[in-house]
Amino acid sequence: MADSRDENVTWLTQEAYDRLKAEYEYLSGPGRVDIAKKIEAAREEGDLRENGGYHAAKDEQGKMEARIFHLRQILDNAQVGEAPKTEGVVGPGMTVTIRFVGDDDEVTFLLASREESGAPIDVYSPKSPLGAAINGKKIGEKATYSMPNGRQNTVEILEAVPYVGN
């Protein structure tokens, strides 16, 4: 059994897993057939250098193949159900409240896979810089992470409770 804090595990509800699996099966089957037909039809129109339809179809194919690859990674590393939770310890499936050090602003969010859509609060990935920095921290502890602009930001964990839904 994978540890709930294993960075390769993606915890998904059964609904999210089923939705992603159906998308994967469509894209890797009928979706690939459809895009191949589009490319062939555009290819028959003539000169490929001047053929916008051909280039658009090839671009669409590339994006679709990237999504298929991404879905395969998620599904291969998915654990269906709820991540084991310890109240007061940050981990996947927890509602976390933090305060930015030097600021009075508090932020509350769900730490979970971004593929878990439908949550009524913001979702931060455990693999994001903030998510990775706070994963495993306890209430009262601080964590520092690098923002995209390269600056460091420090947060204090105020609360970590299991997510209970709407």
Side-chain angles (χ1 to χ4, degrees):
M1 183 71 182
D3 178 23
S4 68
R5 301 207 184 342
D6 182 340
E7 64 188 43
N8 294 321
V9 172
T10 301
W11 289 93
L12 297 172
T13 61
Q14 187 65 54
E15 180 274 328
Y17 181 85
D18 292 345
R19 180 174 42 80
L20 295 174
K21 188 165 176 28
E23 181 185 357
Y24 173 80
E25 287 171 356
Y26 170 77
L27 290 177
S28 62
R32 279 184 170 148
V33 172
D34 291 346
I35 196 67
K37 287 178 184 174
K38 280 185 189 176
I39 290 169
E40 187 55 37
R43 183 179 285 137
E44 290 173 2
E45 292 174 10
D47 186 357
L48 296 182
R49 290 173 301 183
E50 302 288 326
N51 190 327
Y54 173 79
H55 294 290
K58 289 295 284 183
D59 187 48
E60 183 181 343
Q61 180 186 40
K63 289 177 182 173
M64 187 176 78
E65 290 300 325
R67 179 66 177 161
I68 289 169
F69 180 78
H70 182 69
L71 287 170
R72 181 78 262 153
Q73 284 186 307
I74 291 170
L75 294 170
D76 284 349
N77 294 308
Q79 289 283 353
V80 177
E82 294 190 14
K85 299 172 186 117
T86 304
E87 189 154 339
V89 179
V90 176
M94 299 294 281
T95 301
V96 181
T97 303
I98 60 170
R99 177 176 38 239
F100 292 93
V101 173
D103 196 341
D104 288 335
D105 286 348
E106 293 181 9
V107 178
T108 300
F109 55 88
L110 170 62
L111 189 66
S113 166
R114 295 198 181 203
E115 299 296 339
E116 282 293 345
S117 63
I121 63 174
D122 288 337
V123 177
Y124 284 58
S125 169
K127 296 175 184 173
S128 69
L130 173 59
I134 65 173
N135 200 9
K137 297 285 185 193
K138 296 176 179 64
I139 292 173
E141 290 184 338
K142 292 182 175 140
T144 300
Y145 66 100
S146 293
M147 297 186 302
N149 65 9
R151 293 177 53 200
Q152 299 284 306
N153 212 353
T154 302
V155 298
E156 179 182 359
I157 311 302
L158 301 177
E159 186 176 50
V161 296
Y163 178 69
V164 291
N166 323 5

